Amino acid sequence: MTNSTMVTEFLLLGSPDGWNMRVLYFMVFLLTYLSTLLGNLLIVTVTTVNQNLHTPMYFFLRNLSTLDMCYISTTVPSACVNSITGNRAISVAGCATQNFLVIFCACVEMLFLTIMAWDCYAAICQPLQYPIIMNSQFCVSMTLASLLSGLVYAGVHTGNTFRLFFCQSNEVHQFFCDLPSLLRLSCSDTTSNMILVLVSVVFVGGGCFIFIVTSYVRIFSTVLRFPNRAPSKAFSTCTPHILVVSIFLSSGAGVYLRPSATSGTLQDMLLSACYTMVPPFLNPIIYSLRNKQVKDAVRRVIGREMFSGK
């Protein structure tokens, strides 16, 4: 290793060749980004302004929307700029920062979705105890615990990755600095890193998924036993949530747990886009367009803005 040249910067995956393809790549990413920002910002505004939405469910929805705006902002803006300017370079420090933020947001996203499943379970299956279970102190404590867990989780993985030596290729076959792509570039022994990734993904991701599925199984069994609790409404609310969680976890697991020997650049990019862009994009649609209270609040906010503009 003494004769090797150490990497001082990384080169991210560029946009497709040809100006038309670069513009298309730019527009797809930009429109997805702006739509995600608009949808999540609308939810944050509505759930903050409307006093009727100051409940635990909307408290966590507001936190999720705020997180989603940060999540998609860690990867997509830089990818848009890179596609137009053609400048693919990112410093080692910048790469480490982006890697940390992506892992942090992904971890907290999973924890927030798990807490929201628990909130749904408590509201439907234990309605009398709901105000006691989901009190304000519990909500704030769970939010802070999720953020702290995300910081620790991201710090461990990022620190464990950037202690390695990168002295081979510096081309990251991804539109952002993701963990699996960086591990493939290292000329150090990455066995311990891969074991840590495997254990943490199975423990955190698998644990959260089992908890969410268990919560919804109990919800479905409860509403089927008591038809007066509107089973169709419960199914229409819970099914999209499970769909987003499944997309998020399956695409993330596909990126992090797939052997590098079977890795393909296009497939990796699509899977990475699924777990970094799709959940933030879909969450506002699922939690607002399918929720009458949020839709009514949005209409009032928009109507108020239009009236004040006149």
Side-chain angles (χ1 to χ4, degrees):
M1 262 191 294
T2 55
N3 295 326
S4 300
T5 302
M6 300 304 297
V7 170
T8 57
E9 66 177 13
F10 293 100
L11 297 178
L12 299 176
L13 185 68
S15 56
D17 295 332
W19 178 250
N20 291 336
M21 290 301 297
R22 290 172 68 176
V23 172
L24 177 63
Y25 179 94
F26 171 80
M27 291 303 299
V28 169
F29 273 62
L30 180 63
L31 290 177
T32 302
Y33 178 64
L34 293 179
S35 301
T36 302
L37 283 188
L38 179 61
N40 284 289
L41 185 60
L42 191 59
I43 286 183
V44 171
T45 303
V46 166
T47 55
T48 302
V49 171
N50 194 312
Q51 296 292 325
N52 295 326
L53 300 182
H54 288 186
T55 62
M57 182 178 88
Y58 297 108
F59 171 78
F60 288 116
L61 179 57
R62 183 163 59 248
N63 292 341
L64 181 67
S65 294
T66 303
L67 177 72
D68 281 340
M69 288 189 287
C70 298
Y71 192 10
I72 199 168
S73 296
T74 61
T75 57
V76 175
S78 60
C80 290
V81 173
N82 294 346
S83 67
I84 291 298
T85 62
N87 180 19
R88 301 188 294 140
I90 182 172
S91 66
V92 173
C95 188
T97 301
Q98 189 179 55
N99 181 257
F100 175 87
L101 291 174
V102 168
I103 297 175
F104 167 77
C105 290
C107 178
V108 178
E109 175 102 1
M110 192 70 247
L111 294 175
F112 277 176
L113 290 173
T114 304
I115 296 170
M116 292 175 74
W118 168 255
D119 174 76
C120 190
Y121 162 77
I124 294 177
C125 300
Q126 298 181 345
L128 298 180
Q129 290 80 28
Y130 180 76
I132 300 174
I133 297 173
M134 303 300 294
N135 60 74
S136 58
Q137 184 178 356
F138 175 81
C139 294
V140 173
S141 298
M142 292 305 294
T143 300
L144 294 177
S146 299
L147 295 174
L148 181 59
S149 299
L151 288 173
V152 173
Y153 187 86
V156 169
H157 281 289
T158 303
N160 203 35
T161 300
F162 283 87
R163 68 174 178 79
L164 302 173
F165 290 99
F166 298 94
C167 53
Q168 301 182 40
S169 171
N170 67 337
E171 292 194 23
V172 179
H173 295 292
Q174 193 56 265
F175 65 94
F176 65 96
C177 286
D178 74 328
L179 186 60
S181 297
L182 291 171
L183 293 180
R184 295 186 194 114
L185 298 181
S186 176
C187 51
S188 303
D189 182 13
T190 60
T191 303
S192 62
N193 298 75
M194 296 306 298
I195 293 175
L196 178 62
V197 169
L198 176 63
V199 171
S200 59
V201 169
V202 170
F203 178 74
V204 177
C208 289
F209 183 72
I210 291 173
F211 188 92
I212 290 171
V213 170
T214 303
S215 298
Y216 284 128
V217 167
R218 292 180 177 178
I219 290 171
F220 293 152
S221 63
T222 299
V223 297
L224 289 175
R225 278 188 285 115
F226 301 98
N228 60 319
R229 296 193 182 184
S232 60
K233 182 179 179 181
F235 278 108
S236 66
T237 302
C238 299
T239 303
H241 185 191
I242 295 176
L243 177 63
V244 171
V245 172
S246 300
I247 294 173
F248 181 63
L249 275 180
S250 59
S251 57
V255 171
Y256 282 85
L257 301 183
R258 203 151 52 95
S260 58
T262 62
S263 176
T265 300
L266 179 59
Q267 189 174 8
D268 279 350
M269 183 175 173
L270 291 175
L271 288 173
S272 296
C274 281
Y275 86 87
T276 57
M277 295 170 60
V278 173
F281 176 77
L282 288 181
N283 282 336
I285 299 174
I286 289 173
Y287 291 110
S288 61
L289 296 183
R290 301 185 66 89
N291 187 302
K292 187 177 184 300
Q293 283 183 292
V294 174
K295 286 192 290 186
D296 291 342
V298 168
R299 291 192 191 99
R300 285 196 291 271
V301 170
I302 294 177
R304 187 184 307 162
E305 290 297 325
M306 292 178 62
F307 182 78
S308 63
K310 292 180 181 180

